[in-house]
């Protein structure tokens, strides 16, 4: 079976939201990852790590919120190794996957290696070199997936708007991301950005600050606001060890994302090691309404109104 040629979405499409040197840092991470997927044992260790386990579970359990299974066309943004696209490609109902990232090392070298090691249905996977801030798709994807990618956005509203545009009416965005409580002040977040990343030598071969690789500390309200302004219906699920210990899949299916003003915070009940759970604190599910949604004209959306 023939595979798709790589698409270059960066050519002719302008993304002003790429931080200088951020792509180089990601290239370094992705070169290191080539070793992680160098053979089946190393890949198995990566895929069964506590973090990967959590992220796979989010992808599986998002179907409870969506009340449907994965099918049709999927767009993965910030795919990195593309492990998620590789796994999704084996689902019979999935016809095509755009597996995209703005780092050429990942798209050209890492993704094919990972597809091979994980036994992906590569003929369904279309690799694309592109930024999630400038996507050339409109009303095409049934699902957009972000595994730890959205928090790298330099403009969450622009990224959400692009994902919204790429989705068919009724389509879904599924994201698993770190987030911080709304009680964090700007100064507290600023201090985090200015801290040295302790893992930076290993990941990037040099010392970096947290802000340099475009890692963002978005608060829960910021994700939700950006998604609402992009016209999504939003279902945010927050996880914390102090959260509701009787949480289960029914909570996801009921879409009880909040109780009045308070977010419904759940114990990370599907973590691999419950005694010492490793998890992303936000599972963000958002749907493009069937009628295309409406713009409320709130100032936050950046859309002016003409009377
Ligand atoms: C934390 S990594 C997650 C990678 C992958 N999804 C995974 O689960 O292993 C974030 C990824 O987002 C990509 N990324 C960051 N900003 C991007 C942008 N503006 N457009 C496309 N990809 C971006 C990075 O290159 C990196 O691969």
């Amino acid at each position: 079976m023939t595979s798709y040629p790589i698409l270059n979405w960066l050519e002719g499409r302008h993304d002003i939201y790429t931080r200088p040197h951020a792509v180089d840092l990601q290239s370094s991470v992705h070169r290191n990852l080539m070793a992680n997927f160098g053979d089946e044992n190393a890949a198995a260790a990566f895929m069964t790590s506590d973090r990967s386990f959590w992220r796979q579970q989010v992808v599986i359990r998002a179907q409870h919120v969506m009340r449907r299974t994965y099918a049709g066309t999927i767009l993965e943004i910030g795919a990195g190794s593309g492990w998620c696209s590789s796994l999704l490609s084996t689902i019979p109902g999935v016809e095509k996957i755009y597996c995209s990232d703005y780092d050429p090392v990942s798209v050209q070298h890492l993704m094919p290696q990972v597809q091979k090691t994980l036994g992906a249905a590569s003929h369904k996977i279309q690799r694309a070199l592109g930024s999630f801030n400038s996507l050339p798709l409109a009303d095409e994807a049934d699902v957009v997936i972000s595994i730890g990618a959205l928090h790298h956005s330099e403009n969450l509203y622009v990224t959400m708007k692009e994902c919204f545009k790429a989705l068919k009416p009724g389509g879904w965005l599924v994201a698993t991301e770190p987030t911080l409580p709304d009680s964090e002040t700007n100064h507290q977040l600023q201090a985090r950005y200015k801290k040295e990343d302790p893992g930076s030598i290993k990941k990037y071969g040099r010392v970096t600050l947290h802000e340099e690789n475009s890692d963002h500390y978005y608060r829960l309200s910021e994700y939700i606001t950006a998604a609402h302004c992009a016209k999504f219906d939003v279902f945010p699920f927050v996880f914390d060890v102090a959260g509701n210990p009787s949480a289960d899949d029914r909570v996801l299916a009921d879409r009880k994302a909040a109780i009045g003003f308070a977010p419904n915070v759940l114990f990370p009940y599907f973590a691999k090691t419950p005694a010492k759970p490793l998890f992303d604190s936000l599972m963000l599910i958002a749907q493009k309404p069937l009628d295309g949604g409406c713009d409320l004209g709130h100032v936050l959306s950046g859309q002016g109104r003409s009377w």
Side-chain angles (χ1 to χ4, degrees):
M1 241 175 269
T2 52
S3 44
Y4 294 105
I6 298 177
L7 294 175
N8 189 351
W9 290 344
L10 291 179
E11 237 167 46
R13 301 188 72 81
H14 189 50
D15 173 20
I16 56 166
Y17 302 107
T18 295
R19 186 180 288 257
H21 310 300
V23 177
D24 296 340
L25 295 177
Q26 293 301 332
S27 295
S28 167
V29 171
H30 293 138
R31 269 188 218 101
N32 292 342
L33 265 179
M34 304 261 314
N36 281 78
F37 282 95
D39 64 66
E40 276 167 24
N41 290 340
F46 181 90
M47 293 300 293
T48 56
S49 70
D50 285 38
R51 182 177 299 284
S52 293
F53 182 89
W54 175 266
R55 292 176 163 184
Q56 288 166 57
Q57 290 297 313
V58 167
V59 175
I60 292 165
R61 282 160 203 268
Q63 296 173 107
H64 291 304
V65 188
M66 289 157 46
R67 300 175 188 161
R68 60 166 94 143
T69 52
Y70 292 102
T73 301
I74 292 175
L75 162 66
E76 185 177 7
I77 56 167
S81 64
W83 64 261
C84 187
S85 291
S86 291
L87 297 188
L88 289 171
S89 72
T90 62
I91 297 173
V94 170
E95 289 155 17
K96 178 171 187 174
I97 303 180
Y98 291 100
C99 183
S100 67
D101 201 284
Y102 71 173
D103 170 36
V105 174
S106 112
V107 176
Q108 288 164 10
H109 306 293
L110 181 58
M111 287 177 187
Q113 183 178 339
V114 171
Q115 287 178 24
K116 192 163 166 241
T117 312
L118 296 184
S122 295
H123 63 280
K124 295 186 194 172
I125 302 178
Q126 164 85 76
R127 283 175 285 149
L129 181 65
S131 168
F132 50 49
N133 297 313
S134 181
L135 297 166
L137 306 181
D139 297 333
E140 191 175 338
D142 292 276
V143 183
V144 172
I145 304 261
S146 162
I147 311 286
L150 275 183
H151 76 279
H152 282 270
S153 170
E154 301 288 345
N155 186 322
L156 214 40
Y157 170 59
V158 166
T159 310
M160 291 280 190
K161 248 190 356 171
E162 287 298 293
C163 294
F164 187 92
K165 175 169 64 75
L167 283 165
K168 288 177 185 165
W172 294 82
L173 167 74
V174 174
T176 173
E177 308 290 333
T179 190
L180 286 168
D182 292 341
S183 53
E184 290 268 324
T185 65
N186 285 353
H187 276 113
Q188 285 168 331
L189 293 183
Q190 175 90 334
R192 288 176 185 269
Y193 283 124
K194 298 295 171 200
K195 264 200 200 138
E196 209 176 282
D197 178 350
S200 57
I201 298 264
K202 196 168 161 218
K203 285 186 284 187
Y204 314 124
R206 69 171 173 90
V207 174
T208 64
L209 303 184
H210 276 296
E211 65 186 356
E212 284 179 72
N213 76 345
S214 79
D215 244 333
H216 285 281
Y217 299 111
Y218 287 119
R219 286 168 283 220
L220 177 62
S221 61
E222 293 173 304
Y223 282 106
I224 297 174
T225 302
H228 274 145
C229 289
K231 303 198 285 189
F232 275 113
D233 291 337
V234 189
F235 306 94
F237 296 91
V238 181
F239 294 92
D240 188 84
V241 281
N244 174 4
S246 54
D248 60 19
D249 290 348
R250 272 171 307 180
V251 179
L252 302 184
D254 288 349
R255 300 176 182 170
K256 280 189 190 142
I259 301 163
F261 285 111
N264 190 6
V265 181
L266 315 175
F267 182 80
Y269 68 94
F270 52 78
K272 184 175 168 191
T273 315
K276 217 174 156 225
L278 188 69
F279 56 93
D280 294 322
S281 38
L282 176 64
M283 171 179 174
L284 181 72
I285 315 281
Q287 184 176 28
K288 177 171 181 170
L290 268 173
D291 66 359
C294 62
D295 187 346
L296 295 176
H298 290 179
V299 172
L300 286 168
S301 72
Q303 309 285 316
R305 195 171 267 200
S306 54
W307 279 276

